[in-house]
Amino acid sequence: MTKRKVLLLDGNSLAYRAFFALPLLTNDQGVHTNAVYGFAMMLQKILEEEKPTHMLVAWDAGKTTFRHETFKEYKGGRQKTPPELSEQFPYLRKMLDAYQIRQYELESYEADDIIGTLSREAGKDGAETVVISGDKDLTQLASGDVTVFITRKGITDIERYTPEHVMEKYGLSPEQIIDMKGLMGDSSDNIPGVPGVGEKTAIKLLKQFGTVEGVYEGLDQVSGKKLKEKLEENEELAKMSKQLATINTASPVEVKIDDLSYGGPDKDEIVKIFQELNFKTLLEKVDAPVAATEPLEDFECPVVSAAPVSLLTDGVAIHLELAGEQYHTAEILGLALSDGEETVFIPAGDVKADERLCSWLSDESNAKWCTDSKAALAALTRLGVEAEGIGFDLLLAAYIANPSVSLTDTASIAREFGWTGIPTDESVYGKGARKAIPDETAVAAHAGRKAFAVSKLRAVAEDKLKANEQDGLYRELELPLASILGKMEAIGVKADRDTLLGIGEDLSGKLEAIEREIHEIAGETFNINSTKQLGSVLFEKLGLPAVKKTKTGYSTAADVLEKLEGRHEIIRHILDYRQLGKLNSTYIEGLLKEIHPDGKIHTYYQQALTQTGRLSSTNPNLQNIPVRIEEGRKIRKAFVPSEPGWMMFAADYSQIELRVLAHMSGDERLIEAFREGADIHTRTASDVFHVAPDEVTSDMRRAAKAVNFGIVYGISDYGLSQSLNISRKEAGEFIDRYLASFPGVKAYMDNGVAEARKTGYVTTMLNRRRYLPDITSSNFNLRSFAERTAMNTPIQGTAADIIKKAMIMMDDRLEKENLQARMLLQVHDELIFECPEEEIAVLEKVVPEVMESALELNVPLKVESASGPTWYDTK
DNA sequence: TTTGTCACG
DNA sequence: ACGTACGTGACAAAC
């Protein structure tokens, strides 16, 4: 039988939360609806995620409770409930009736007490309980069987308090939350506490003494004379406050858990009330099918040494379980297989020996489904199996469906498609110092659940992608790209240790000299890398003016220091020290640590991370190797071909983002400029300043270049003024003149923002999506950010689409032309290869040809290439 | 772990 | 009046 899952909701608290979190919405009758709407959104999400078997919404009843007998000012001084909220309670009740959720209130008790009592009863029955409230006080109810969900910021954003989470957050057990309230009080409930004791002191005391009573028994040992006096004077107050804060878990509640069974909403009634309140999005949601989560309580995943033949067929989920994220080196634990009925786990050591399994894995005609195919293929390669025929990748599907969710493990990915039946990696392996691999049965069960979920979710995910017309993006772009990136990671790029060491020695020498110089000028030795110490030397000892502050002290960032450069010689040295220090620690020492025994660096490309569709590179990041300053650029001399007689070859798109902008906006002037092959910054300057192209000065060109950048980023006058070091007014004038010169661009930006406001998302040319919920926010900052993002993401994202497509075509082309050349790296708008010297001539023709034809725009794409013995020389 | 800083496109 | 250019990752210091 399925384990029971009881959801207990704190009605009043959630209604208040929803009311204050959302703007004042009304229906066409003028009735305020924001609290009902927020409540419904939250309810919908919780129902999907938690799949409860039993539910109850508890309400506060009446004005006075048993707590008022102890303290008549309890909850005194509270603001009256706003009438805009009061009028919503009848609708809330009606809506909950339509959901067929039991509601309950009890004279002279609060909702907390009802919930506390029922949660204990449910625990006795062996049920799993979730308590949901906007009030942190309820975290005292957390226990082995009870998780407390507290809404954060908005209304659907939830923080989950298990006893472990309470401990993490406060360093206290859930029961001690009551003691904490007793000591510190609670102004919202008018609970006094001990005057002068806040959260910090309360926690400190409780860590030492355990409880309020313990504090008074050990009063002699309390450190601090003042504190001791305060505690002594207010003993009664503290004890009464604790009593007030304690949730009564033995209230005379008349309903039993069995009375709460939840069988889903009355759809017709729900539709009626949503229509009455004009809840459009919610109406769509109630009709939408939800992925079924099958109970995984009785889940079985035997550990076997060979795969059953029944599972070696077309359309089976595989999952490689690894003891860490870095799949090039992490221990491989084993392989789980699941067809949604039967699930097994094969320990890593037995995989290679199972010949039938291996030939199934390398048989392209048998589709394998998985999460993170790139990692799975890499792990299988390490086990000696070259797998083929990946038919589905849950990670990529989830990322395409919505890039904004953090897809850290299969549990979080599956949750995106409504599946909550698998535990997180963290809950199985632990985290930080307590991280460990559990016994094989537990690993098998965990890996098995993941494979099982993939098997069940494939159809749901693919349907969703098809519904949003993203199937092509997923199947033809991201899925094949995953294998190509995997290949690039596995090949790696050779790094010459001696070159790095040589540059490192040079840097260390210079750093020492500069450090001595700085200390001498300052008249003291201090840690230049410490912003705190540096700030006190510059702005206190030397008396330089502090232009900008951070929330922890003075800002010493480069742009701030540059403004002070004329005022003191020490500044130049500090800027130099910073620059060289960065090179040494990140690029010399950092990269040396990443060279594998094969002499190569194997980065990891994150394919499901960025909000725009770009890749990112980690461990190490090979997308930010210095280039702008010569001293740093020399690092690139260490990146060399891996075979004797080979060369490095690099090709980059010229102005890809502005070309994309020209295409997407259809602006005639911009299109014309690119078709004529003009220098785009000079042409922009000529248009903006109304001078002939040959009269454009270098300053004008520089300003135009900054404006072009600004346009791509979603321009703001402030941003431009910072980058050009001019006044905000002047920057604003530049922008106006630009937009007047390129009216198509202005129209495109305005339309993009309007469209995003209407649909809630923006798209790229290949239909990549980014949702921008903040675009309708009443918070200026959030809204402005979303608006700039709405302008930037289609451009940056389309550029990412283009190079990804080029990579797929390139991989194909290298094979077709029988070239030995290997694609090694991608740096957003450039591709880096290594190849035999005699292939350079071919690459010089083929690579630009492929990259330029990746996607047809109404302006040409232009690619520049270069080759040389090291990456440094490809310029 | 979070913050400030700085490397890249 | 708001406080920002867009997208990333790594390191050192300080908590």
Side-chain angles (χ1 to χ4, degrees), chain A residues 164-216:
Chain A
E164 293 76 37
H165 187 63
V166 174
M167 179 58 69
E168 236 169 72
K169 195 134 174 182
Y170 299 105
L172 301 176
S173 71
E175 296 77 36
Q176 286 176 304
I177 295 291
I178 310 172
D179 296 277
M180 183 171 93
K181 276 283 150 71
L183 291 170
M184 65 185 273
D186 181 344
S187 59
S188 72
D189 288 346
N190 205 30
I191 297 178
V194 177
V197 174
E199 186 176 310
K200 292 272 158 59
T201 318
I203 291 173
K204 201 187 77 192
L205 287 168
L206 292 173
K207 278 191 175 161
Q208 193 178 350
F209 301 106
T211 61
V212 169
E213 291 72 24
V215 170
Y216 283 101

Side-chain angles (χ1 to χ4, degrees), chain A residues 724-769:
Chain A
L724 278 177
N725 232 333
I726 57 177
S727 77
R728 204 166 144 166
K729 188 156 162 279
E730 286 172 291
E733 285 166 14
F734 270 163
I735 294 166
D736 290 342
R737 281 156 74 180
Y738 178 95
L739 294 175
S741 305
F742 300 97
V745 172
K746 178 163 170 45
Y748 167 76
M749 297 287 179
D750 292 346
N751 287 340
V753 172
E755 186 68 20
R757 205 170 285 135
K758 211 165 70 195
T759 60
Y761 60 87
V762 289
T763 55
T764 66
M765 275 179 73
L766 295 192
N767 232 357
R768 192 183 299 283
R769 264 188 200 197

Side-chain angles (χ1 to χ4, degrees), chain A residues 274-446:
Chain A
F274 283 0
Q275 272 167 349
E276 184 183 350
L277 297 171
N278 305 154
F279 292 169
K280 245 181 70 196
T281 20
L282 277 165
L283 270 170
E284 283 168 28
K285 265 196 191 161
V286 279
D287 277 337
V290 188
T293 301
E294 289 190 13
L296 289 179
E297 303 308 329
D298 303 327
F299 185 76
E300 276 184 29
C301 180
V303 175
V304 296
S305 58
V309 187
S310 56
L311 284 177
L312 301 181
T313 169
D314 187 35
V316 168
I318 62 170
H319 181 80
L320 268 296
E321 188 66 13
L322 272 68
E325 286 176 3
Q326 301 201 20
Y327 47 80
H328 294 152
T329 50
E331 185 191 349
I332 303 168
L333 302 174
L335 167 67
L337 299 177
S338 177
D339 62 2
E341 298 282 330
E342 184 183 17
T343 305
V344 298
F345 180 82
I346 303 140
D350 297 332
V351 171
K352 188 66 188 166
D354 184 349
E355 281 175 31
R356 270 196 306 229
L357 171 65
C358 292
S359 73
W360 174 77
L361 285 166
S362 24
D363 178 0
E364 199 179 352
S365 62
N366 282 317
K368 269 75 67 177
W369 305 338
C370 62
T371 39
D372 200 349
S373 56
K374 178 156 66 70
L377 293 176
L380 284 171
T381 303
R382 285 176 53 205
L383 292 178
V385 184
E386 289 307 322
E388 298 278 346
I390 296 298
F392 174 70
D393 185 322
L394 183 64
L395 170 68
L396 293 177
Y399 173 66
I400 294 304
N402 185 357
S404 75
V405 280
S406 120
L407 305 168
T408 45
D409 59 8
T410 311
S412 69
I413 300 163
R415 197 160 52 227
E416 274 314 294
F417 294 112
W419 186 279
T420 53
I422 44 178
T424 60
D425 285 343
E426 198 179 295
S427 72
V428 174
Y429 294 104
K431 68 166 188 174
R434 280 196 299 279
K435 200 163 183 170
I437 301 171
D439 63 74
E440 191 168 68
T441 335
V443 170
H446 188 49

Side-chain angles (χ1 to χ4, degrees), chain A residues 425-476:
Chain A
D425 285 343
E426 198 179 295
S427 72
V428 174
Y429 294 104
K431 68 166 188 174
R434 280 196 299 279
K435 200 163 183 170
I437 301 171
D439 63 74
E440 191 168 68
T441 335
V443 170
H446 188 49
R449 281 189 169 89
K450 294 182 192 177
F452 184 74
V454 169
S455 171
K456 291 286 180 188
L457 286 172
R458 185 197 57 91
V460 179
E462 288 186 346
D463 285 351
K464 172 144 192 194
L465 295 179
K466 284 196 187 109
N468 289 347
E469 296 182 329
Q470 293 184 297
D471 193 47
L473 173 66
Y474 158 74
R475 188 159 289 287
E476 284 156 38

Side-chain angles (χ1 to χ4, degrees), chain A residues 6 73 113 124 189 253 281 377 417 570 605 747 780 839:
Chain A
V6 184
E73 279 85 30
D113 303 313
K124 272 185 239 151
D189 288 346
V253 171
T281 20
L377 293 176
F417 294 112
I570 198 171
Y605 286 107
F780 176 89
E839 285 185 8

Side-chain angles (χ1 to χ4, degrees), chain A residues 19 79 104 176 225 270 318 323 325 377 384 479 484 634 660 682 717 729 763 850:
Chain A
F19 180 76
Q79 293 252 317
Y104 185 72
Q176 286 176 304
K225 202 166 139 222
I270 291 276
I318 62 170
E325 286 176 3
L377 293 176
L479 198 55
I484 294 172
K634 290 205 165 68
V660 167
T682 304
D717 52 5
K729 188 156 162 279
T763 55
V850 168

Side-chain angles (χ1 to χ4, degrees), chain A residues 94 227 277 343 419 515 568 570 705 858 860:
Chain A
K94 214 165 123 186
L227 178 59
L277 297 171
T343 305
W419 186 279
E515 185 180 9
H568 204 290
I570 198 171
K705 190 173 172 179
N858 58 21

Side-chain angles (χ1 to χ4, degrees), chain A residues 82-118:
Chain A
E84 294 86 352
L85 174 56
S86 299
E87 73 185 39
Q88 299 187 49
F89 280 108
Y91 290 94
L92 265 173
R93 298 249 185 179
K94 214 165 123 186
M95 180 184 77
L96 291 166
D97 283 337
Y99 269 104
Q100 311 202 67
I101 296 170
R102 182 70 187 249
Q103 304 181 54
Y104 185 72
E105 58 188 65
L106 182 61
E107 194 58 41
S108 98
Y109 287 84
E110 295 180 64
D112 300 10
D113 303 313
I114 299 169
I115 290 172
T117 305
L118 286 171

